[in-house]
Amino acid sequence: MSDRPHPFLIAVAALVYFFLMVPLVIVVGAALSDTTYLTFPPQGLSLRWFENIFEISAFRRTIVTSLQIAFLGTLIALIIGIPAAYALNRFRVELPKWLGTLFVLPILVPEIVFGFALLKSLTVGAGVPIFAALLIGHTLLVLPYVVRVISASLASFDFSIEEAAISLGSAPLKTFFTIVMPNVRAGVIAAFILAFITSLNDVSVSLFLTGPGISTLPIQILAHVEQFFDPTVASVSVLLMFLTVAVMAVVERTLGLTFLAK
Amino acid sequence: MTQPLDIHAVSAHYGTTKVLEDLSLSVQAGELVSLLGASGCGKTTTLRLIAGFLSPTSGSIKLGGRDLTRLPTHKRDIGLVFQNYALFPHLSVLDNVAFGLKQRGLGASDRRKSALAMLERVGLAPLAERTPGALSGGQKQRVALARALVIEPPLLMFDEPLSNLDAKLRVEMRVEIRQLQRANGTTSVYVTHDQEEAFSISDRVAIMNAGRLMQFDRPEVLYRQPANTFVASFVGFENIIPFTVVGREGETVTAETAGMRLRLSQNAFGAIPDTFLLATRADGLMVSTDPAAEGIPAQLGLRTYLGRAYQYQCETAAGHLVANGSLTAPLDPGTGVKLVPVPEQCSILMPDEAR
Ligand SMILES: Nc1ncnc2c1ncn2[C@@H]1O[C@H](COP(=O)(O)OP(=O)(O)OP(=O)(O)O)[C@@H](O)[C@H]1O
Ligand SMILES: [Mg+2]
């Protein structure tokens, strides 16, 4: 066996990348077009459609709302999800099996159904304000991912390490932060990024929960496309992509650094 | 600093299954006691009870004057060494060792000094700045040992600390553990399922079976005088023959098994109850060609050479037995002989149901 991958493998990988990248290239190209309609390849280069995003107040507002919801929702999901994942793994033998399934169940429910159910129960049923309903909806939406990803990280964590720390005189709660958390750091970062992006890009759940005056960016994009055919959609999509990448970078940096500083 | 450990009538359950029953065990100050037994007999459970990771359903645990029974683990001040080392992967070797000192509020420079001195003792000072991932198994176990010793706990506990190491290192490390334990005089509980390991390093060994203590004594006693059939077969008594006494004449007892009779002297064997088991290793049954010898009639089978003796597989009315014969006169399969019990090598046991 040689160390070089098989040419066929390279070809397949290249094709996959090609099909992944092409839409991105087209969107970026269209966003830079100087025309008043969506077109590719771009005709003339201009940043005016990027400027246009910020001239439309609905975009400005929904970008802020989306970031707030994604950030807070992810944070709450982590606050609930980390202890949940910990308990599920730490007491795997003692806890009933279905408890773990409970946390991943929402993934199995079609998001449309999930969104509708939330609309019925939260907004219509309990009269929860729109922003709060969105926040709850997104928290529930991303919670399964958080629990899953952190569970995967904890599955390879040897809990006798925790016991060793406790036996050396470290109180259990303190041990959780000084010993367990640093060892599942990668899982927490991955969970944060995955949850944030899932929330930021969500359409199905938000569709039901947005209401007068409060909407998220993807919903606003949909609304915009229904009326206009200008490249703003493309440029806003590019913006969304960059936001996503920026979040990943920032999280990697900050979480990485605080945990390393022990 | 050395304190006795006293486990009194402790029972433990996992859910509804009972894993320890009415276990009592006293470890003297400075003593090293091993818990020995087959997999699943409750050794780790006992350790976890002492450490406080598990609460007993009844009974009490005392260390020195302190009652540990309801004390949370982090306040028990017990050094633990785990089978899989359980080092903190994100901390350096030095910080691993210093961890317990930090919990005890020692300043950074004192911690460093003590931890380095401890690493020096286990021969790992040059590796202080490495992370555990970059250590060999033996080195990891030394760090684990240093980490547990540096807090100078009144009690040290080991759960199969050497089972992940290769045979040669295992022997080296157990000597090292014993030396460190002796030097510090730390009361220790050591879990293993390796009989040789337990016997070689312990002051006393507790042999366990199915959550119960079968015998607790010095290795020499366990090896020579098992108290019951479980311990007897555990320490390698191949022959366990049931007898019923049919006659007593002064100190001479006539006992019967499978239709044949044997006369035994209580002067040699000690008190003999009315029903008993004669338990012995192969070297406790001497092969004799003298037809008048007072022994069990047997038909010799396969002969193997042991260096100090020949060993014979024998068929008798009492079943299959293993006996040793002298090197000077090797005997052929099929020879009819007598198997004569050697009193010093034999144990007279009560039948299990009578206990
Ligand atoms: N968390 C648990 N839940 C239920 N039963 C358990 C649990 N841990 C151990 N047991 C059971 O308790 C009994 C004693 O287990 P323990 O771990 O003390 O055995 P051990 O003597 O240490 O065995 P080994 O030599 O294999 O480590 C076993 O029958 C085991 O199956
Ligand atoms: Mg065990």
Side-chain angles (χ1 to χ4, degrees):
Chain A
M1 286 292 284
S2 78
D3 280 347
R4 285 184 54 81
H6 195 277
F8 179 72
L9 218 62
I10 298 176
V12 171
L15 269 179
V16 169
Y17 273 108
F18 182 73
F19 282 112
L20 279 176
M21 295 313 284
V22 161
L24 298 187
V25 171
I26 291 179
V27 170
V28 172
L32 292 172
S33 179
D34 199 18
T35 52
T36 54
Y37 48 91
L38 271 173
T39 180
F40 187 84
Q43 296 165 13
L45 282 180
S46 136
L47 285 177
R48 59 185 250 212
W49 298 114
F50 282 94
E51 284 163 22
N52 192 42
I53 303 171
F54 298 99
E55 271 151 30
I56 303 171
S57 68
F59 274 122
R60 285 202 308 267
R61 269 186 286 114
T62 54
I63 288 174
V64 173
T65 309
S66 267
L67 287 175
Q68 284 174 331
I69 296 283
F71 185 73
L72 290 176
T74 300
L75 208 64
I76 299 172
L78 281 174
I79 292 172
I80 302 170
I82 293 176
Y86 169 82
L88 285 174
N89 282 275
R90 178 75 178 79
F91 305 106
R92 197 173 341 194
V93 188
E94 289 88 345
L95 291 175
K97 277 214 176 61
W98 54 261
L99 210 61
T101 320
L102 195 69
F103 277 95
V104 292
L105 221 51
I107 293 181
L108 301 179
V109 180
E111 278 181 30
I112 295 274
V113 177
F114 188 53
F116 180 69
L118 286 173
L119 172 72
K120 275 299 240 189
S121 54
L122 291 180
T123 317
V124 179
V128 175
I130 296 172
F131 187 85
L134 263 176
L135 187 56
I136 296 173
H138 278 234
T139 303
L140 292 177
L141 175 74
V142 301
L143 187 58
Y145 296 103
V146 168
V147 173
R148 272 319 279 251
V149 172
I150 294 176
S151 279
S153 200
L154 279 166
S156 59
F157 179 74
D158 175 5
F159 282 98
S160 57
I161 291 168
E162 188 191 22
E163 292 184 338
I166 294 175
S167 79
L168 288 167
S170 172
L173 189 66
K174 185 178 168 197
T175 306
F176 178 79
F177 287 107
T178 57
I179 299 295
V180 183
M181 288 303 282
N183 283 297
V184 295
R185 198 185 93 226
V188 173
I189 294 173
F192 189 105
I193 292 173
L194 187 63
F196 195 93
I197 292 171
T198 305
S199 168
L200 202 60
N201 293 325
D202 171 74
V203 172
S204 323
V205 172
S206 306
L207 204 52
F208 288 96
L209 298 180
T210 48
I214 300 185
S215 187
T216 63
L217 185 55
I219 303 299
Q220 169 59 26
I221 294 176
L222 279 181
H224 189 83
V225 192
E226 278 171 6
Q227 293 172 31
F228 308 96
F229 198 62
D230 61 34
T232 310
V233 195
S235 53
V236 102
S237 305
V238 172
L239 186 70
L240 200 54
M241 264 155 52
F242 274 105
L243 274 179
T244 308
V245 172
V247 165
M248 281 162 72
V250 167
V251 167
E252 179 63 58
R253 269 295 154 85
T254 51
L255 270 186
L257 289 180
T258 41
F259 275 114
L260 277 181
K262 46 168 180 334
Chain B
M1 195 185 78
T2 61
Q3 294 178 0
L5 171 72
D6 191 34
I7 302 170
H8 181 68
V10 156
S11 294
H13 294 72
Y14 281 116
T16 51
T17 41
K18 196 168 212 168
V19 284
L20 282 187
E21 197 170 338
D22 205 18
L23 185 87
S24 293
L25 195 73
S26 289
V27 183
Q28 288 162 23
E31 195 181 25
L32 191 154
V33 163
S34 285
L35 305 181
L36 176 64
S39 185
C41 71
K43 306 181 294 290
T44 298
T45 305
T46 309
L47 228 59
R48 298 181 66 78
L49 275 174
I50 303 170
F53 295 126
L54 188 72
S55 291
T57 37
S58 63
S60 68
I61 300 165
K62 287 201 180 75
L63 180 61
R66 291 187 300 154
D67 186 352
L68 297 186
T69 321
R70 303 275 160 238
L71 205 64
T73 301
H74 66 280
K75 294 187 178 150
R76 289 195 182 194
D77 202 15
I78 292 174
L80 276 173
V81 179
F82 294 79
Q83 175 172 1
N84 46 4
Y85 323 124
L87 300 178
F88 310 128
H90 61 298
L91 299 181
S92 70
V93 164
L94 187 73
D95 287 338
N96 262 276
V97 177
F99 186 87
L101 300 173
K102 193 173 177 182
Q103 310 311 314
R104 279 156 182 74
L106 246 74
S109 65
D110 287 346
R111 292 204 297 263
R112 197 184 153 78
K113 228 169 66 193
S114 304
L116 270 176
M118 195 64 231
L119 281 170
E120 195 78 55
R121 278 183 71 186
V122 296
L124 284 185
L127 306 183
E129 299 306 328
R130 286 209 194 159
T131 54
L135 298 181
S136 73
Q139 292 168 338
K140 281 183 193 165
Q141 198 50 285
R142 283 196 180 86
V143 177
L145 195 59
R147 185 179 66 177
L149 279 171
V150 77
I151 60 172
E152 302 189 351
L155 178 66
L156 254 182
M157 300 204 293
F158 304 83
D159 192 358
E160 311 209 19
L162 308 180
S163 58
N164 285 345
L165 305 178
D166 65 51
K168 186 165 169 286
L169 196 55
R170 238 182 349 242
V171 175
E172 276 172 35
M173 283 291 298
R174 78 187 185 209
V175 173
E176 219 168 293
I177 286 178
R178 181 57 161 163
Q179 278 167 344
L180 283 168
Q181 186 266 338
R182 269 278 172 82
N184 288 21
T186 313
T187 311
S188 301
V189 179
Y190 189 103
V191 162
T192 177
H193 58 247
D194 181 336
Q195 188 184 324
E196 185 193 307
E197 190 174 302
F199 281 21
S200 67
I201 72 166
S202 313
D203 293 303
R204 285 191 293 165
V205 176
I207 295 184
M208 294 177 65
N209 178 40
R212 305 172 72 144
L213 191 58
M214 301 311 288
Q215 193 174 356
F216 180 34
D217 219 318
R218 294 184 302 119
E220 293 86 341
V221 175
L222 292 173
Y223 195 78
R224 287 279 152 225
Q225 290 143 25
N228 48 60
T229 52
F230 178 84
V231 177
S233 48
F234 194 87
V235 298
F237 280 46
E238 292 107 330
N239 308 304
I240 298 177
I241 315 158
F243 279 96
T244 315
V245 173
V246 292
R248 289 178 188 274
E249 246 177 79
E251 286 303 299
T252 304
V253 171
T254 307
E256 188 183 74
T257 185
M260 75 205 179
R261 293 190 170 184
L262 196 66
R263 285 192 304 155
L264 305 167
S265 161
Q266 294 201 91
N267 292 328
F269 285 91
I272 296 176
D274 283 346
T275 58
F276 67 95
L277 300 153
L278 183 76
T280 175
R281 294 191 178 80
D283 56 7
L285 287 181
M286 263 325 277
V287 171
S288 168
T289 47
D290 176 4
E294 189 61 40
I296 303 163
Q299 191 89 10
L300 292 187
L302 182 72
R303 181 183 74 215
T304 49
Y305 176 63
L306 294 187
R308 59 196 154 80
Y310 285 113
Q311 187 160 95
Y312 298 92
Q313 307 296 318
C314 312
E315 293 311 321
T316 72
H320 180 89
L321 299 176
V322 189
N324 283 0
S326 89
L327 281 173
T328 50
L331 298 166
D332 291 328
T335 314
V337 295
K338 290 279 182 66
L339 306 181
V340 182
V342 184
E344 305 79 61
Q345 311 283 5
C346 291
S347 277
I348 302 292
L349 304 177
M350 299 284 274
D352 283 345
E353 55 272 23
R355 287 191 306 125

